[in-house]
Amino acid sequence: YGSSAGSVVGAYMVSRQMCVDVYTEVLTAAKTKFVSKGRLLSYIARGMLDQAVKSENNGGVFTKDVNPAMNISYVLDSIMDPEYGLRPLDMEHFRANDKLQPLRIVASTVRQGEMEVSCLGSKEMDFFHTVAPSASAQDGDTTVLDHATRNVDGKREGLFACLQTSMTVPAACGPPLHLIRNQDAEANITSCCFDAFCFEPIPYRSAVEEGATHVLALRTRPHGAPIQTKPGFFEKTVAPNYFESHDMPEVSEFFEKGGQQYIYAEDYLTLDDGLRAGSDGTLIPPPKLLYGVEQDDEVSVLKDRSNWKRAHLLPVVVPAGNTEHPVLSVDRDEVLHAVRQGFATAFDLLAPASGIELDEHLTGERVAELVFSSHGGPAKDVLEQQICFSGDTAAEKHRPDDSSLQSDERDELVNAQHEQMVMHQNMEQSSMMLEQESASIMEDALHKLEDATDAIELLGLLPGFQSGKLECLSQGLHDQINR
């Protein structure tokens, strides 16, 4: 289940590509091609002008055709596009794996005047067309029998239309998207969609509603980070102006009444309760909006906690005291630091469950430094060179032993180990015979040796890296060996 940018992470996870460098390398190099604080401030100011001169014929004259602060099209078209993107999504592996580990994309929607949370996925035929061989049957030509979910304007369809809806942040990514879902096509019902954070920022509610009994929830803010409960400038001005200008007064009122803030606070309290819950699990609030909305009999019934489902929640959250990544920052060092923090937390929590015995010094923090290395800095051609990281099949659940490593990878590890042994011997001789060698050079060489040795151990032991898998993540370890 993915909300907002989490849906992109989920897509790369299902395809088994794990292109984390989209965040650490590509977007940090793209900078204003992706996001601009200046464009955001300009849009907010123009939105306020629209409200100041509001009339029936205004139609958002000041915000009309303004470039969005956050360019989601850059992510979908320039990065993820299966043919031309810098990190093309492996659609073949995504589609195959989605049958075993389905991606559920969560979005906030207004459908026939009702505010609701929508889960988009393959089983509702949101991602892919139903096709059959065409009559001519030339070169694999097909005919579309049933269309997947698509944008009303026809710009996107299927999976990529769904990804865009979940990431359309109010006032930052342009107007809400009008979507015709496959299940609504016959009745010609349009859903007006926008970022999932509005109605379900952490998508565990939908997971439990659809039958999940155990949920691993990835939180993006450090433990103990303050949660704003009093409506601020965004809730009182920016969001209401945005939704009013797009003829959604009910969503405007929802933000003004603090409905979104209530959901977010309730999420954090519920997830914290998951850490302390016993064998019965935790009561899970339903995905239906209950606060900041007009009350009716259904809402009253759902507010009764005796009607709530139970589930076991395990939040993965960076420990208190760690820095929170600045909003809209595309500074490479800041993003890399944040990614390392999240990886280290997940590694320390989940690695013991794999049953693999690593040396005590290979903590999550140490492994994160090796996998997400900062040596060498960003590549100069990162925005020009397409790198196609291949996906993998989710059906291979066995843990291969060392004999199942690909021959080229096994040779690389053996050669690297031999080189490190020779290097270590030479260093010992140098330390005894060449007193003129500076201590700093020797120290640097020792660090390189330690890094390479640890990288070799991780490549050989971690199941995800065996047989050449997850090459986007393992690349950092190979770099440590080749330095």
Side-chain angles (χ1 to χ4, degrees):
Y1 288 76
S3 285
S4 196
S7 61
V8 171
V9 176
Y12 280 126
M13 180 177 286
V14 170
S15 70
R16 297 302 189 267
Q17 291 172 280
M18 300 297 292
C19 294
V20 181
D21 70 332
V22 167
Y23 295 92
T24 60
E25 306 298 330
V26 180
L27 292 181
T28 55
K31 296 191 181 301
T32 56
K33 291 182 180 180
F34 169 56
V35 66
S36 167
K37 294 181 181 178
R39 293 199 300 266
L40 177 60
L41 294 174
S42 174
Y43 186 94
I44 292 173
R46 289 168 177 267
M48 295 175 69
L49 286 174
D50 276 337
Q51 290 301 305
V53 296
K54 184 178 180 181
S55 67
E56 292 184 2
N57 298 322
N58 180 21
V61 63
F62 292 103
T63 53
K64 186 178 181 181
D65 299 326
V66 174
N67 290 329
M70 190 177 295
N71 187 0
I72 299 302
S73 293
Y74 183 81
V75 176
L76 298 175
D77 299 331
S78 298
I79 298 178
M80 297 186 70
D81 184 271
E83 292 186 30
Y84 307 107
L86 294 170
R87 299 294 183 272
L89 182 66
D90 187 334
M91 292 300 292
E92 180 179 353
H93 278 107
F94 175 87
R95 187 162 190 170
N97 294 343
D98 189 63
K99 296 175 181 178
L100 300 173
Q101 185 186 31
L103 176 64
R104 305 292 287 161
I105 296 177
V106 179
S108 304
T109 63
V110 175
R111 179 179 178 275
Q112 293 186 307
E114 295 291 329
M115 296 187 295
E116 57 188 30
V117 175
S118 294
C119 275
L120 313 174
S122 292
K123 70 178 183 180
E124 294 88 358
M125 295 187 59
D126 289 315
F127 292 171
F128 304 106
H129 300 312
T130 299
V131 299
S134 62
S136 59
Q138 295 180 353
D139 298 324
D141 289 345
T142 58
T143 299
V144 176
L145 302 178
D146 199 2
H147 285 273
T149 291
R150 62 191 186 277
N151 291 349
V152 171
D153 60 15
K155 291 183 179 179
R156 298 190 199 283
E157 59 186 15
L159 173 63
F160 279 70
C162 298
L163 289 171
Q164 185 179 15
T165 63
S166 187
M167 296 189 292
T168 302
V169 181
C173 299
L177 297 177
H178 294 274
L179 209 66
I180 298 180
R181 298 189 66 182
N182 172 275
Q183 62 189 22
D184 290 332
E186 186 173 345
N188 197 30
I189 297 175
T190 300
S191 295
C192 190
C193 307
F194 37 95
D195 197 286
F197 99 89
C198 296
F199 295 167
E200 190 170 353
I202 307 175
Y204 69 96
R205 301 175 187 233
S206 289
V208 174
E209 183 70 16
E210 293 189 344
T213 59
H214 294 69
V215 178
L216 188 71
L218 307 181
R219 282 170 47 177
T220 58
R221 305 182 66 196
H223 184 71
I227 301 174
Q228 185 178 359
T229 56
K230 182 179 180 181
F233 181 64
F234 183 85
E235 290 78 21
K236 292 191 294 186
T237 303
V238 177
N241 286 351
Y242 174 84
F243 288 110
E244 286 282 356
S245 66
H246 293 289
D247 299 320
M248 288 185 282
E250 65 276 31
V251 187
S252 174
E253 185 179 4
F254 171 73
F255 270 89
E256 287 182 309
K257 288 183 176 180
Q260 195 280 333
Q261 290 176 298
Y262 184 94
I263 290 174
Y264 199 54
E266 187 177 48
D267 283 347
Y268 268 62
L269 292 173
T270 304
L271 291 171
D272 283 345
D273 187 59
L275 289 173
R276 301 183 295 270
S279 58
D280 292 334
T282 304
L283 286 171
I284 307 300
K288 183 175 176 60
L289 303 180
L290 303 179
Y291 299 92
V293 298
E294 186 175 335
Q295 303 297 301
D296 55 26
D297 292 340
E298 183 183 6
V299 169
S300 299
V301 171
L302 289 175
K303 278 187 175 182
D304 184 351
R305 290 175 173 249
S306 65
N307 295 319
W308 291 8
K309 296 183 178 181
R310 284 185 174 272
H312 298 277
L313 302 181
L314 178 59
V316 180
V317 54
V318 174
N322 286 279
T323 56
E324 184 173 357
H325 181 65
V327 178
L328 300 183
S329 171
V330 287
D331 178 86
R332 182 175 181 266
D333 290 338
E334 290 179 344
V335 173
L336 195 59
H337 177 67
V339 168
R340 284 175 176 171
Q341 284 183 323
F343 180 93
T345 300
F347 189 91
D348 286 337
L349 180 66
L350 303 175
S354 67
I356 299 173
E357 295 184 3
L358 297 173
D359 288 344
E360 291 184 1
H361 76 284
L362 287 175
T363 62
E365 182 178 0
R366 171 62 175 160
V367 176
E369 290 177 355
L370 295 170
V371 174
F372 304 104
S373 173
S374 58
H375 296 300
K380 293 182 180 180
D381 58 350
V382 66
L383 299 184
E384 284 79 35
Q385 182 182 6
Q386 182 187 64
I387 301 179
C388 300
F389 290 112
S390 59
D392 197 11
T393 175
E396 296 179 3
K397 296 183 179 180
H398 68 281
R399 177 185 165 191
D401 57 26
D402 190 62
S403 63
S404 68
L405 296 177
Q406 292 179 351
S407 59
D408 56 346
E409 182 182 1
R410 184 171 57 248
D411 292 343
E412 177 187 357
L413 294 180
V414 172
N415 292 336
Q417 287 172 326
H418 175 71
E419 291 175 4
Q420 301 310 317
M421 291 175 61
V422 173
M423 178 181 175
H424 186 63
Q425 293 172 352
N426 291 338
M427 286 173 58
E428 288 182 336
Q429 295 173 2
S430 297
S431 64
M432 292 184 292
M433 301 175 58
L434 303 176
E435 294 183 0
Q436 68 271 27
E437 280 282 331
S438 68
S440 61
I441 294 178
M442 292 295 293
E443 184 177 359
D444 181 63
L446 283 172
H447 284 316
K448 288 182 178 179
L449 175 60
E450 292 172 355
D451 291 347
T453 302
D454 288 346
I456 291 171
E457 181 175 355
L458 291 171
L459 285 170
L461 287 178
L462 296 183
F465 291 148
Q466 293 180 357
S467 301
K469 297 178 182 178
L470 299 181
E471 57 181 319
C472 181
L473 288 180
S474 66
Q475 183 62 50
L477 298 178
H478 290 286
D479 290 343
Q480 300 290 353
I481 296 172
N482 297 325
R483 277 205 299 147

